[in-house]
Amino acid sequence: MTKSEIKPSSAGSDLNEQALFYHRYPVPGKLNIRPSKPVGNQRDLALAYSPGVAAPCLAIAEDPATAAEYTSRANLVAVISNGTAVLGLGDIGPLASKPVMEGKAVLFKKFANIDVFDIEINAPDVETMVEVISSLEPTFGGINLEDIKAPECFEVEKRLVEKMGIPVFHDDQHGTAIIVAAAVRNALMLADKKIEDVKIVASGAGASAIACLNLLVSLGARLENITCCDSKGVIYAGREENLHYSKAVYARETSLRTLPEAMEGADIFLGLSRAGLVKPEMVAKMAPRPLILALANPTPEIMPDEARAVRPDAMICTGRSDFPNQVNNVLCFPFMFRGALDCGATAINEEMKKAAVDAIAALAREEVSESAARAYGSETPVFGPTYLIPSPFDTRLILKIAPAVAKAAADSGVASRPITDFDAYLERLGRFVFRSGLMMKPIFQIANNSGKRVIFSDGEDERVMRAAQTILEESIGHPILIGRPPVIASRLERFGLKIRPGQDFEIINPEDDPRYGAYVDFYLDKVGRKGVTPDQARTVLRTNRTVIGAVALARGDADALLCGLEGGFAAHARDIIQIIGAKEGTRKFAALSALITQQTTKFFLDTYFQRYPDAEDLAEMTVLAARQIRRFGLEPKAALLSHSNFGSDDLEDTRKLRDALALIRERDPGLEIDGEMHGNAALSEQIRKRLLPGTTLSGEANLLVFPSLDAANITMTTVQAITEALHVGPMLLGAAQPAHILSPSVTGRGIVNMATIAIAEAVEAK
């Protein structure tokens, strides 16, 4: 294929230019390699290389299995191609295939946290490929073959599987097959058909098509019910032309010779061939409730609107993201390898593939997660003809597929390190999906089965509804939603959520609630001498949902409150201060925010409330923050931050920090704290000890206390943007009852976290 033949069309020139820029800047390519251990001094160097590296080398020489403990091999996959069948570009060679292989590596890391080396080999023949790839076994925990043309790909994979003791997986074959099989399973369920009875017609007999048919046969499809067509027509018994052994399996006695003939009465069409091959009149002759898998890319064998025009009862899948039911390999391969690597699988066998099929199909039948719903935009899909397989962005895929694959590997005898505690394994996977998982675990334990009632002021928001369902499913507490019942009911239906008002959760209707009069009286009692008239109070209790929630909490109709998705922070804070008030012995409110990165968790104080706290304010908020951090099972280590290092400057701001330090040590003698200091001193014991050998703070500070609101908020938001950290908070400190003001950008999972924190506070308060 010449360069001119693969050049993108002028219609895509803008995208082409953007793609070239994306791949070139800020550095060429999409991957880099970073050390996972510190190499900051001579001691680190001695451990990382000579002489310390000898110890793990000798341990591995004695017991090769320990390579999984001392090296990255157990989380390292090779994505290997010879560039002979790249995407829709064909045989462009190994070097030109490198951007695609780097892209595959990015997907492994993004979706399953698996490290990858992309390896492009100049090996056009089977012998060279097998020799080169098999020699790499000591380096990798698994091999993902990519973009190798048929029929060579069949032989290469077959021989590597026989020769190597690690998983070898040709994604073009088996990744597609697994997703197709999951779609078939769900489509047959909806059509009330059995796989052993359906008539299957395949157009295309390349690597993907044959792998799909092989897996469907493994799941129960009968060979006599399958008609396979290639560029020469129907593959029939006795045909000799262009008949590789991989196709010969599907050569059967039949009088059919063309695709249109074969399509008549077919239940399933599987297309992995070329654009426009299937005509509407062919679809019209298919069996009732047919499944059409038109997977040619970028243009399918028949466009969905054309097929649906003649067969409204058809279920349709394509390879495109702009239509429902996209068959995308990223649904499968990262999570297949995640499960295989984690149990030390020596192969990926049929049992593991079937387990992945079952997991993907079952996930599509569950309610759609918030992350998947965001991928679909405003219309949340519900299991049915237009939603047979989940979105690639459904974060639950790893939680379903990896354990299923690992279990199947153990049950079939190919797991060298079988997983024995699947609850712990799921928890570990969950920490990858939800970075807050590890930090939040002690809070979830406190809140578990508490029965505490948490009221959500923004009860009509999709994120709140999803959070409410999670809270119920995980037995964290009992949600109360403020909102109009018809609106809540219709949105629950639209988002495909199964929880029901009155049965699973309570609603406070701001337009018509029997407690309205009592709420108005209670509110007037609180604010009647603060300029609020009875008429205003009545209006507020119909329109201000934060006030409604705060009154419900203060009256004892709920145990915790979450508000803030609409409107400014200050307005919500004012309502909470007026109605709920401060905890006894507490002077002022403060806000604590946590940032969770891949490496660490840091707490920032005060990020929302006190603009210019004095020494007394700083002392009070720091003691409250330390108490909150201990709820997470962490030991707080506080640093009072300043432009000054331990008295290097003597201004009012630095003096108040020193005064605050004395007050904090008096009120919380067990708290590790020091200051005033620079930010780098707070995060480096080495720097701190050089400045003040007698410092009373060890290790890295995890609670950073700032002299002003500006300093705290600017630092927190800047660090979050630079590190792409996950924000938990703001956590309201000092309120008489558990109440928190959410950030408008918070996710559904973030709401679950904040609700759990509030419920844990309610449990401890009691």
Side-chain angles (χ1 to χ4, degrees):
M1 182 176 284
T2 67
K3 194 171 184 180
S4 61
E5 287 175 310
I6 65 172
K7 185 177 180 180
S9 67
S10 58
S13 59
D14 285 347
L15 179 62
N16 186 33
E17 289 301 318
Q18 291 171 23
L20 291 174
F21 185 89
Y22 174 87
H23 282 78
R24 187 173 183 181
Y25 298 102
V27 294
K30 299 187 288 283
L31 296 174
N32 60 25
I33 297 173
R34 296 182 181 181
S36 61
K37 305 289 169 62
V39 190
N41 52 47
Q42 189 63 40
R43 176 67 173 169
D44 291 343
L45 188 60
L47 293 171
Y49 197 53
S50 180
V53 75
C57 288
L58 293 172
I60 295 168
E62 184 176 340
D63 180 5
T66 60
E69 301 173 30
Y70 299 124
T71 75
S72 63
R73 183 176 186 262
N75 194 52
L76 188 61
V77 166
V79 171
I80 302 180
S81 179
N82 66 352
T84 54
V86 179
L87 291 174
L89 306 179
D91 187 355
I92 60 174
L95 182 59
S97 77
K98 188 171 180 65
V100 179
M101 302 311 123
E102 283 189 354
K104 195 80 175 215
V106 169
L107 296 179
F108 267 105
K109 189 65 177 179
K110 166 69 177 176
F111 288 100
N113 200 29
I114 293 172
D115 294 319
V116 165
F117 288 156
D118 65 289
I119 299 176
E120 296 74 33
I121 57 176
N122 189 10
D125 62 278
V126 170
E127 289 297 332
T128 307
M129 276 190 282
V130 171
E131 182 180 353
V132 171
I133 296 169
S134 62
S135 69
L136 297 172
E137 183 170 348
T139 302
F140 297 100
I143 302 291
N144 186 93
L145 301 175
E146 192 76 17
D147 293 351
I148 301 169
K149 71 181 178 71
E152 288 89 340
C153 62
F154 297 109
E155 186 66 24
V156 169
E157 186 190 37
K158 179 175 178 291
R159 289 176 58 181
L160 288 174
V161 167
E162 293 170 352
K163 193 172 184 178
M164 301 180 77
I166 58 176
V168 177
F169 187 78
H170 186 202
D171 183 46
D172 296 330
Q173 294 183 57
H174 309 299
T176 303
I178 288 165
I179 301 157
V180 162
V184 167
R185 176 152 288 178
N186 280 341
L188 295 182
M189 179 182 295
L190 291 169
D192 194 24
K193 299 178 182 179
K194 295 181 179 179
I195 193 168
E196 59 267 26
D197 299 331
V198 295
K199 179 180 175 182
I200 301 170
V201 175
S203 173
S208 298
I210 295 300
C212 289
L213 294 176
N214 289 346
L215 185 54
L216 291 175
V217 169
S218 178
L219 291 169
R222 294 176 178 169
L223 283 170
E224 60 266 30
N225 291 339
I226 297 173
T227 304
C228 186
C229 305
D230 62 8
S231 60
K232 305 299 180 183
V234 172
I235 298 171
Y236 57 89
R239 196 188 94 172
E240 297 180 0
E241 186 181 12
N242 193 27
L243 196 65
H244 185 262
Y245 73 84
S246 61
K247 301 181 188 180
V249 176
Y250 298 99
R252 64 182 182 89
E253 296 287 347
T254 179
S255 60
L256 301 172
R257 292 296 181 266
T258 67
L259 179 61
E261 292 174 1
M263 288 279 283
E264 189 166 350
D267 297 281
I268 297 172
F269 169 74
L270 171 63
L272 285 151
S273 49
R274 61 180 174 83
L277 196 65
V278 174
K279 306 304 177 186
E281 55 269 25
M282 297 161 64
V283 172
K285 294 181 180 181
M286 293 181 73
R289 301 180 303 282
L291 172 62
I292 299 170
L293 294 143
L295 305 182
N297 245 338
T299 306
E301 286 81 359
I302 184 168
M303 294 298 287
D305 53 346
E306 290 181 294
R308 200 165 282 111
V310 294
R311 290 303 299 269
D313 62 336
M315 292 170 275
I316 305 169
C317 300
T318 70
R320 293 170 51 142
S321 60
D322 54 345
F323 291 106
N325 294 323
Q326 183 194 16
V327 174
N328 188 330
N329 288 12
V330 79
L331 270 167
C332 170
F333 69 82
F335 318 116
M336 284 288 297
F337 271 97
R338 182 73 280 159
L341 292 172
D342 290 341
C343 69
T346 56
I348 291 178
N349 57 25
E350 280 305 290
E351 290 79 5
M352 295 160 75
K353 296 174 197 171
K354 290 179 185 178
V357 171
D358 291 341
I360 293 170
L363 183 57
R365 299 193 293 269
E366 296 183 13
E367 291 83 3
V368 174
S369 70
E370 180 199 8
S371 58
R374 286 200 302 270
Y376 279 94
S378 59
E379 291 300 318
T380 304
V382 178
F383 175 63
T386 58
Y387 188 66
L388 298 173
I389 45 180
S391 161
F393 293 96
D394 194 320
T395 51
R396 298 170 298 176
L397 283 163
I398 191 172
L399 303 176
K400 301 292 185 180
I401 299 174
V405 168
K407 185 177 186 305
D411 292 345
S412 60
V414 298
S416 64
R417 302 187 305 276
I419 294 169
T420 55
D421 187 343
F422 274 90
D423 289 338
Y425 181 52
L426 275 169
E427 183 182 314
R428 180 155 61 90
L429 293 174
R431 290 202 296 270
F432 168 68
V433 176
F434 307 113
R435 278 185 283 166
S436 60
L438 183 60
M439 187 186 87
M440 288 296 300
K441 183 179 178 182
I443 302 292
F444 277 94
Q445 288 175 336
I446 295 170
N448 187 45
N449 290 314
S450 68
K452 294 296 181 184
R453 302 158 299 169
V454 58
I455 190 165
F456 295 93
S457 290
D458 305 286
E460 296 176 3
D461 190 284
E462 177 185 356
R463 293 166 292 175
V464 167
M465 295 179 192
R466 293 189 181 280
Q469 178 153 306
T470 301
I471 288 166
L472 286 164
E473 288 174 345
E474 299 184 9
S475 301
I476 297 168
H478 182 75
I480 302 170
L481 273 56
I482 300 176
R484 296 161 293 175
V487 174
I488 292 174
S490 66
R491 290 181 180 177
L492 288 172
E493 192 72 27
R494 187 201 310 168
F495 303 141
L497 300 175
K498 66 183 180 183
I499 56 173
R500 293 293 174 260
Q503 180 180 334
D504 301 307
F505 65 93
E506 182 185 344
I507 290 179
I508 293 180
N509 181 1
E511 296 178 347
D512 182 21
D513 191 278
R515 293 164 290 192
Y516 173 70
Y519 279 24
V520 169
D521 292 342
F522 187 93
Y523 179 59
L524 270 173
D525 186 55
K526 290 284 186 180
V527 300
R529 293 183 179 273
K530 296 177 181 176
V532 178
T533 68
D535 284 345
Q536 289 173 330
R538 282 188 283 271
T539 300
V540 166
L541 264 299
R542 290 288 191 207
T543 59
N544 188 323
R545 299 184 184 188
T546 295
V547 169
I548 296 170
V551 169
L553 176 61
R555 275 173 40 94
D557 296 336
D559 301 299
L561 166 68
L562 263 67
C563 61
L565 292 183
E566 293 183 8
F569 184 93
H572 297 290
R574 178 202 63 218
D575 293 332
I576 290 172
I577 291 168
Q578 287 183 343
I579 299 166
I580 296 172
K583 187 180 299 184
E584 186 177 353
T586 301
R587 299 164 65 246
K588 296 179 182 178
F589 285 52
L592 177 68
S593 292
L595 291 185
I596 304 173
T597 70
Q598 296 291 350
Q599 292 79 32
T600 186
T601 297
K602 300 297 180 194
F603 295 87
F604 296 74
L605 184 71
D606 165 21
T607 48
Y608 281 89
F609 267 96
Q610 299 186 39
R611 300 199 104 193
Y612 301 107
D614 60 23
E616 178 64 36
D617 297 331
L618 287 168
E620 181 176 84
M621 71 171 70
T622 303
V623 171
L624 289 171
R627 190 176 302 159
Q628 183 75 296
I629 291 169
R630 291 185 181 111
R631 284 196 180 97
F632 293 99
L634 301 171
E635 191 55 41
K637 294 174 179 279
L640 299 170
L641 299 186
S642 171
H643 72 283
S644 168
N645 260 322
F646 301 111
S648 64
D649 203 349
D650 189 29
L651 296 174
E652 182 180 349
D653 274 355
T654 57
R655 287 195 294 271
K656 80 173 180 182
L657 291 169
R658 290 172 219 152
D659 292 342
L661 179 62
L663 291 170
I664 295 164
R665 284 174 171 167
E666 180 183 323
R667 296 175 188 181
D668 192 347
L671 174 63
E672 270 198 57
I673 185 170
D674 213 338
E676 79 285 8
M677 69 181 80
H678 287 179
N680 61 349
L683 302 179
S684 169
E685 186 175 37
Q686 186 177 8
I687 293 174
R688 198 163 55 250
K689 285 189 172 180
R690 189 165 64 243
L691 295 166
L692 186 70
T695 178
T696 54
L697 179 63
S698 62
E700 280 191 28
N702 58 11
L703 172 56
L704 307 177
V705 183
F706 294 83
S708 71
L709 175 62
D710 279 349
N713 193 277
I714 291 169
T715 304
M716 188 266 292
T717 53
T718 302
V719 170
Q720 182 183 14
I722 292 172
T723 62
E724 297 183 345
L726 176 68
H727 178 218
V728 176
M731 292 169 265
L732 188 58
L733 305 176
Q737 292 174 274
H740 296 286
I741 303 168
L742 300 168
S743 166
S745 61
V746 69
T747 64
R749 190 67 199 184
I751 294 173
V752 171
N753 286 339
M754 291 304 300
T756 308
I757 290 169
I759 290 170
E761 291 169 351
V763 170
E764 291 194 345
K766 185 176 181 181

